[in-house]
Amino acid sequence: MNHIFKKGNPDKPTLVLLHGTGGNEHDLLPIAEMIDQEASVLGIRGNVLENGMPRFFKRLAEGVFDEEDLKFRTKELNDYLTQAADDYEFDRENVIAIGYSNGANIAASLMYHYNDAFKGAILFHAMVPLKNIELPSLKGTEVFVGAGKNDPIIPAENTQQLISDLEKAGAHLEAFWTNAGHQLTREEVEAAKEWYQKLV
Ligand code: MLT
């Protein structure tokens, strides 16, 4: 997958950056910098193109996902993380995802499929990736959810459902709501940073 890797302190988690629709592997570097300047960073570009815009999986319409492609891309990304950990010699068991929108949705999908995809995840403006799927045990997984009460793409109930699915699977959740829409706000990045600092 197209990516950028920056080696940091090996005792810190590796931050895996997953952009929103139309973004790339560089987009979330300033966010990673705000969260932890010392951590290794792996920014990844989604392998799917929608009218020239990179994404992590296909969709049929806004908020309506191509489930078959999502499942395929979920495995592809999980396998890629294992490969990258080998190539760049970082600890596969100490990976924290930072995803925004489409990138947060695939990060959530990895957690809906695998118990060990991430040690933790920061999901900015994410939604339920798949319905009717039994989640693995996510005991020990720490998740921060940042969401906007006025997000025109993601109804608040959808994010609530995501939180409840992950909690039922055993993950430990912290949710931070703003009055904003779909855009990423500085206040939620700051809240994510506080969450992260308690974790490491
Ligand atoms: C998605 O397709 O993942 C969501 O609709 C969010 C986005 O627009 O990327």
PDB file of all heavy atoms in Angstrom, residues 10-36:
ATOM      1  N   PRO A  10      11.134   3.444  19.942  1.00  0.00           N
ATOM      2  CA  PRO A  10      10.593   2.079  19.845  1.00  0.00           C
ATOM      3  C   PRO A  10       9.775   1.663  21.074  1.00  0.00           C
ATOM      4  O   PRO A  10       9.026   0.678  21.015  1.00  0.00           O
ATOM      5  CB  PRO A  10      11.842   1.192  19.690  1.00  0.00           C
ATOM      6  CG  PRO A  10      12.982   2.030  20.154  1.00  0.00           C
ATOM      7  CD  PRO A  10      12.609   3.467  19.953  1.00  0.00           C
ATOM      8  N   ASP A  11       9.909   2.389  22.165  1.00  0.00           N
ATOM      9  CA  ASP A  11       9.110   2.058  23.356  1.00  0.00           C
ATOM     10  C   ASP A  11       7.709   2.652  23.290  1.00  0.00           C
ATOM     11  O   ASP A  11       6.846   2.341  24.112  1.00  0.00           O
ATOM     12  CB  ASP A  11       9.806   2.570  24.626  1.00  0.00           C
ATOM     13  CG  ASP A  11      11.151   1.888  24.814  1.00  0.00           C
ATOM     14  OD1 ASP A  11      11.269   0.722  24.378  1.00  0.00           O
ATOM     15  OD2 ASP A  11      12.074   2.530  25.348  1.00  0.00           O
ATOM     16  N   LYS A  12       7.501   3.534  22.329  1.00  0.00           N
ATOM     17  CA  LYS A  12       6.171   4.155  22.167  1.00  0.00           C
ATOM     18  C   LYS A  12       5.343   3.324  21.187  1.00  0.00           C
ATOM     19  O   LYS A  12       5.888   2.583  20.372  1.00  0.00           O
ATOM     20  CB  LYS A  12       6.337   5.570  21.590  1.00  0.00           C
ATOM     21  CG  LYS A  12       7.028   6.558  22.510  1.00  0.00           C
ATOM     22  CD  LYS A  12       6.026   7.068  23.523  1.00  0.00           C
ATOM     23  CE  LYS A  12       6.563   8.171  24.407  1.00  0.00           C
ATOM     24  NZ  LYS A  12       6.060   9.483  24.090  1.00  0.00           N
ATOM     25  N   PRO A  13       4.006   3.485  21.218  1.00  0.00           N
ATOM     26  CA  PRO A  13       3.198   2.804  20.211  1.00  0.00           C
ATOM     27  C   PRO A  13       3.533   3.337  18.821  1.00  0.00           C
ATOM     28  O   PRO A  13       4.105   4.420  18.684  1.00  0.00           O
ATOM     29  CB  PRO A  13       1.757   3.211  20.563  1.00  0.00           C
ATOM     30  CG  PRO A  13       1.801   3.785  21.927  1.00  0.00           C
ATOM     31  CD  PRO A  13       3.203   4.287  22.148  1.00  0.00           C
ATOM     32  N   THR A  14       3.193   2.576  17.792  1.00  0.00           N
ATOM     33  CA  THR A  14       3.246   3.086  16.416  1.00  0.00           C
ATOM     34  C   THR A  14       1.855   3.594  16.067  1.00  0.00           C
ATOM     35  O   THR A  14       0.854   2.897  16.266  1.00  0.00           O
ATOM     36  CB  THR A  14       3.690   1.964  15.448  1.00  0.00           C
ATOM     37  OG1 THR A  14       5.032   1.608  15.784  1.00  0.00           O
ATOM     38  CG2 THR A  14       3.638   2.419  13.994  1.00  0.00           C
ATOM     39  N   LEU A  15       1.815   4.825  15.568  1.00  0.00           N
ATOM     40  CA  LEU A  15       0.528   5.433  15.207  1.00  0.00           C
ATOM     41  C   LEU A  15       0.260   5.154  13.725  1.00  0.00           C
ATOM     42  O   LEU A  15       1.068   5.518  12.868  1.00  0.00           O
ATOM     43  CB  LEU A  15       0.574   6.950  15.456  1.00  0.00           C
ATOM     44  CG  LEU A  15       0.980   7.378  16.881  1.00  0.00           C
ATOM     45  CD1 LEU A  15       1.030   8.915  16.973  1.00  0.00           C
ATOM     46  CD2 LEU A  15       0.009   6.819  17.915  1.00  0.00           C
ATOM     47  N   VAL A  16      -0.844   4.497  13.449  1.00  0.00           N
ATOM     48  CA  VAL A  16      -1.221   4.182  12.069  1.00  0.00           C
ATOM     49  C   VAL A  16      -2.297   5.174  11.632  1.00  0.00           C
ATOM     50  O   VAL A  16      -3.370   5.251  12.236  1.00  0.00           O
ATOM     51  CB  VAL A  16      -1.725   2.725  11.959  1.00  0.00           C
ATOM     52  CG1 VAL A  16      -2.411   2.492  10.621  1.00  0.00           C
ATOM     53  CG2 VAL A  16      -0.554   1.759  12.109  1.00  0.00           C
ATOM     54  N   LEU A  17      -1.982   5.946  10.595  1.00  0.00           N
ATOM     55  CA  LEU A  17      -2.847   7.059  10.189  1.00  0.00           C
ATOM     56  C   LEU A  17      -3.694   6.673   8.982  1.00  0.00           C
ATOM     57  O   LEU A  17      -3.165   6.253   7.944  1.00  0.00           O
ATOM     58  CB  LEU A  17      -1.991   8.277   9.836  1.00  0.00           C
ATOM     59  CG  LEU A  17      -0.907   8.644  10.857  1.00  0.00           C
ATOM     60  CD1 LEU A  17      -0.148   9.881  10.395  1.00  0.00           C
ATOM     61  CD2 LEU A  17      -1.517   8.865  12.239  1.00  0.00           C
ATOM     62  N   LEU A  18      -5.002   6.849   9.122  1.00  0.00           N
ATOM     63  CA  LEU A  18      -5.947   6.435   8.083  1.00  0.00           C
ATOM     64  C   LEU A  18      -6.834   7.629   7.736  1.00  0.00           C
ATOM     65  O   LEU A  18      -7.683   8.059   8.529  1.00  0.00           O
ATOM     66  CB  LEU A  18      -6.777   5.245   8.607  1.00  0.00           C
ATOM     67  CG  LEU A  18      -5.933   4.044   9.092  1.00  0.00           C
ATOM     68  CD1 LEU A  18      -6.771   3.091   9.937  1.00  0.00           C
ATOM     69  CD2 LEU A  18      -5.305   3.303   7.918  1.00  0.00           C
ATOM     70  N   HIS A  19      -6.632   8.146   6.527  1.00  0.00           N
ATOM     71  CA  HIS A  19      -7.250   9.417   6.109  1.00  0.00           C
ATOM     72  C   HIS A  19      -8.733   9.271   5.740  1.00  0.00           C
ATOM     73  O   HIS A  19      -9.250   8.172   5.553  1.00  0.00           O
ATOM     74  CB  HIS A  19      -6.475   9.955   4.906  1.00  0.00           C
ATOM     75  CG  HIS A  19      -6.506   9.036   3.712  1.00  0.00           C
ATOM     76  ND1 HIS A  19      -7.570   8.978   2.856  1.00  0.00           N
ATOM     77  CD2 HIS A  19      -5.602   8.114   3.265  1.00  0.00           C
ATOM     78  CE1 HIS A  19      -7.321   8.074   1.909  1.00  0.00           C
ATOM     79  NE2 HIS A  19      -6.134   7.532   2.141  1.00  0.00           N
ATOM     80  N   GLY A  20      -9.374  10.407   5.548  1.00  0.00           N
ATOM     81  CA  GLY A  20     -10.749  10.434   5.050  1.00  0.00           C
ATOM     82  C   GLY A  20     -10.783  10.404   3.522  1.00  0.00           C
ATOM     83  O   GLY A  20      -9.731  10.471   2.864  1.00  0.00           O
ATOM     84  N   THR A  21     -11.982  10.307   2.948  1.00  0.00           N
ATOM     85  CA  THR A  21     -12.144  10.251   1.493  1.00  0.00           C
ATOM     86  C   THR A  21     -11.433  11.430   0.815  1.00  0.00           C
ATOM     87  O   THR A  21     -11.623  12.581   1.220  1.00  0.00           O
ATOM     88  CB  THR A  21     -13.648  10.296   1.124  1.00  0.00           C
ATOM     89  OG1 THR A  21     -14.276   9.175   1.726  1.00  0.00           O
ATOM     90  CG2 THR A  21     -13.852  10.248  -0.380  1.00  0.00           C
ATOM     91  N   GLY A  22     -10.620  11.117  -0.191  1.00  0.00           N
ATOM     92  CA  GLY A  22      -9.922  12.170  -0.931  1.00  0.00           C
ATOM     93  C   GLY A  22      -8.593  12.564  -0.295  1.00  0.00           C
ATOM     94  O   GLY A  22      -7.921  13.460  -0.789  1.00  0.00           O
ATOM     95  N   GLY A  23      -8.231  11.906   0.779  1.00  0.00           N
ATOM     96  CA  GLY A  23      -6.986  12.254   1.467  1.00  0.00           C
ATOM     97  C   GLY A  23      -5.834  11.373   1.021  1.00  0.00           C
ATOM     98  O   GLY A  23      -5.922  10.658   0.020  1.00  0.00           O
ATOM     99  N   ASN A  24      -4.757  11.435   1.774  1.00  0.00           N
ATOM    100  CA  ASN A  24      -3.622  10.557   1.477  1.00  0.00           C
ATOM    101  C   ASN A  24      -2.831  10.284   2.752  1.00  0.00           C
ATOM    102  O   ASN A  24      -3.227  10.707   3.841  1.00  0.00           O
ATOM    103  CB  ASN A  24      -2.737  11.140   0.365  1.00  0.00           C
ATOM    104  CG  ASN A  24      -2.112  12.458   0.755  1.00  0.00           C
ATOM    105  OD1 ASN A  24      -1.661  12.633   1.899  1.00  0.00           O
ATOM    106  ND2 ASN A  24      -2.081  13.403  -0.165  1.00  0.00           N
ATOM    107  N   GLU A  25      -1.704   9.580   2.559  1.00  0.00           N
ATOM    108  CA  GLU A  25      -0.922   9.103   3.710  1.00  0.00           C
ATOM    109  C   GLU A  25      -0.307  10.241   4.533  1.00  0.00           C
ATOM    110  O   GLU A  25       0.158  10.020   5.641  1.00  0.00           O
ATOM    111  CB  GLU A  25       0.160   8.117   3.236  1.00  0.00           C
ATOM    112  CG  GLU A  25       1.231   8.672   2.295  1.00  0.00           C
ATOM    113  CD  GLU A  25       0.812   8.637   0.822  1.00  0.00           C
ATOM    114  OE1 GLU A  25      -0.385   8.773   0.528  1.00  0.00           O
ATOM    115  OE2 GLU A  25       1.704   8.500  -0.033  1.00  0.00           O
ATOM    116  N   HIS A  26      -0.315  11.461   3.976  1.00  0.00           N
ATOM    117  CA  HIS A  26       0.283  12.603   4.696  1.00  0.00           C
ATOM    118  C   HIS A  26      -0.718  13.374   5.554  1.00  0.00           C
ATOM    119  O   HIS A  26      -0.326  14.120   6.448  1.00  0.00           O
ATOM    120  CB  HIS A  26       0.902  13.597   3.695  1.00  0.00           C
ATOM    121  CG  HIS A  26       1.974  12.994   2.857  1.00  0.00           C
ATOM    122  ND1 HIS A  26       3.276  12.887   3.286  1.00  0.00           N
ATOM    123  CD2 HIS A  26       1.951  12.445   1.622  1.00  0.00           C
ATOM    124  CE1 HIS A  26       4.006  12.302   2.353  1.00  0.00           C
ATOM    125  NE2 HIS A  26       3.219  12.019   1.336  1.00  0.00           N
ATOM    126  N   ASP A  27      -2.006  13.230   5.223  1.00  0.00           N
ATOM    127  CA  ASP A  27      -3.043  14.095   5.809  1.00  0.00           C
ATOM    128  C   ASP A  27      -3.003  14.231   7.329  1.00  0.00           C
ATOM    129  O   ASP A  27      -3.178  15.310   7.867  1.00  0.00           O
ATOM    130  CB  ASP A  27      -4.432  13.538   5.470  1.00  0.00           C
ATOM    131  CG  ASP A  27      -4.933  14.034   4.150  1.00  0.00           C
ATOM    132  OD1 ASP A  27      -4.098  14.475   3.337  1.00  0.00           O
ATOM    133  OD2 ASP A  27      -6.157  13.983   3.938  1.00  0.00           O
ATOM    134  N   LEU A  28      -2.843  13.094   7.997  1.00  0.00           N
ATOM    135  CA  LEU A  28      -2.999  13.119   9.463  1.00  0.00           C
ATOM    136  C   LEU A  28      -1.665  13.265  10.195  1.00  0.00           C
ATOM    137  O   LEU A  28      -1.625  13.173  11.423  1.00  0.00           O
ATOM    138  CB  LEU A  28      -3.755  11.863   9.938  1.00  0.00           C
ATOM    139  CG  LEU A  28      -5.203  11.742   9.411  1.00  0.00           C
ATOM    140  CD1 LEU A  28      -5.826  10.423   9.864  1.00  0.00           C
ATOM    141  CD2 LEU A  28      -6.077  12.902   9.893  1.00  0.00           C
ATOM    142  N   LEU A  29      -0.588  13.538   9.433  1.00  0.00           N
ATOM    143  CA  LEU A  29       0.713  13.700  10.107  1.00  0.00           C
ATOM    144  C   LEU A  29       0.687  14.813  11.163  1.00  0.00           C
ATOM    145  O   LEU A  29       1.227  14.623  12.260  1.00  0.00           O
ATOM    146  CB  LEU A  29       1.826  13.957   9.080  1.00  0.00           C
ATOM    147  CG  LEU A  29       2.217  12.746   8.208  1.00  0.00           C
ATOM    148  CD1 LEU A  29       3.202  13.176   7.115  1.00  0.00           C
ATOM    149  CD2 LEU A  29       2.828  11.629   9.048  1.00  0.00           C
ATOM    150  N   PRO A  30       0.051  15.968  10.877  1.00  0.00           N
ATOM    151  CA  PRO A  30       0.011  17.010  11.917  1.00  0.00           C
ATOM    152  C   PRO A  30      -0.772  16.561  13.172  1.00  0.00           C
ATOM    153  O   PRO A  30      -0.454  16.986  14.285  1.00  0.00           O
ATOM    154  CB  PRO A  30      -0.729  18.177  11.233  1.00  0.00           C
ATOM    155  CG  PRO A  30      -0.637  17.906   9.762  1.00  0.00           C
ATOM    156  CD  PRO A  30      -0.552  16.422   9.602  1.00  0.00           C
ATOM    157  N   ILE A  31      -1.750  15.695  12.967  1.00  0.00           N
ATOM    158  CA  ILE A  31      -2.525  15.192  14.121  1.00  0.00           C
ATOM    159  C   ILE A  31      -1.646  14.249  14.953  1.00  0.00           C
ATOM    160  O   ILE A  31      -1.593  14.338  16.187  1.00  0.00           O
ATOM    161  CB  ILE A  31      -3.797  14.421  13.644  1.00  0.00           C
ATOM    162  CG1 ILE A  31      -4.619  15.269  12.674  1.00  0.00           C
ATOM    163  CG2 ILE A  31      -4.620  13.923  14.831  1.00  0.00           C
ATOM    164  CD1 ILE A  31      -5.217  16.516  13.246  1.00  0.00           C
ATOM    165  N   ALA A  32      -0.906  13.372  14.247  1.00  0.00           N
ATOM    166  CA  ALA A  32      -0.003  12.455  14.955  1.00  0.00           C
ATOM    167  C   ALA A  32       1.033  13.259  15.744  1.00  0.00           C
ATOM    168  O   ALA A  32       1.362  12.936  16.890  1.00  0.00           O
ATOM    169  CB  ALA A  32       0.686  11.532  13.961  1.00  0.00           C
ATOM    170  N   GLU A  33       1.506  14.321  15.121  1.00  0.00           N
ATOM    171  CA  GLU A  33       2.501  15.199  15.760  1.00  0.00           C
ATOM    172  C   GLU A  33       1.926  15.806  17.039  1.00  0.00           C
ATOM    173  O   GLU A  33       2.614  15.942  18.046  1.00  0.00           O
ATOM    174  CB  GLU A  33       2.862  16.289  14.729  1.00  0.00           C
ATOM    175  CG  GLU A  33       3.885  17.274  15.156  1.00  0.00           C
ATOM    176  CD  GLU A  33       5.309  16.780  14.903  1.00  0.00           C
ATOM    177  OE1 GLU A  33       5.513  15.645  14.446  1.00  0.00           O
ATOM    178  OE2 GLU A  33       6.206  17.548  15.198  1.00  0.00           O
ATOM    179  N   MET A  34       0.640  16.171  16.983  1.00  0.00           N
ATOM    180  CA  MET A  34      -0.001  16.749  18.174  1.00  0.00           C
ATOM    181  C   MET A  34      -0.207  15.703  19.268  1.00  0.00           C
ATOM    182  O   MET A  34      -0.114  15.985  20.448  1.00  0.00           O
ATOM    183  CB  MET A  34      -1.380  17.332  17.804  1.00  0.00           C
ATOM    184  CG  MET A  34      -1.307  18.727  17.219  1.00  0.00           C
ATOM    185  SD  MET A  34      -2.931  19.279  16.630  1.00  0.00           S
ATOM    186  CE  MET A  34      -3.775  19.649  18.173  1.00  0.00           C
ATOM    187  N   ILE A  35      -0.505  14.475  18.851  1.00  0.00           N
ATOM    188  CA  ILE A  35      -0.809  13.419  19.834  1.00  0.00           C
ATOM    189  C   ILE A  35       0.474  12.931  20.505  1.00  0.00           C
ATOM    190  O   ILE A  35       0.520  12.777  21.730  1.00  0.00           O
ATOM    191  CB  ILE A  35      -1.551  12.230  19.151  1.00  0.00           C
ATOM    192  CG1 ILE A  35      -2.816  12.719  18.428  1.00  0.00           C
ATOM    193  CG2 ILE A  35      -1.812  11.093  20.136  1.00  0.00           C
ATOM    194  CD1 ILE A  35      -4.107  12.656  19.118  1.00  0.00           C
ATOM    195  N   ASP A  36       1.498  12.612  19.707  1.00  0.00           N
ATOM    196  CA  ASP A  36       2.759  12.143  20.285  1.00  0.00           C
ATOM    197  C   ASP A  36       3.900  12.367  19.285  1.00  0.00           C
ATOM    198  O   ASP A  36       4.039  11.611  18.320  1.00  0.00           O
ATOM    199  CB  ASP A  36       2.649  10.644  20.646  1.00  0.00           C
ATOM    200  CG  ASP A  36       3.876  10.162  21.409  1.00  0.00           C
ATOM    201  OD1 ASP A  36       4.892  10.898  21.462  1.00  0.00           O
ATOM    202  OD2 ASP A  36       3.819   9.048  21.954  1.00  0.00           O
TER     203      ASP A  36
END
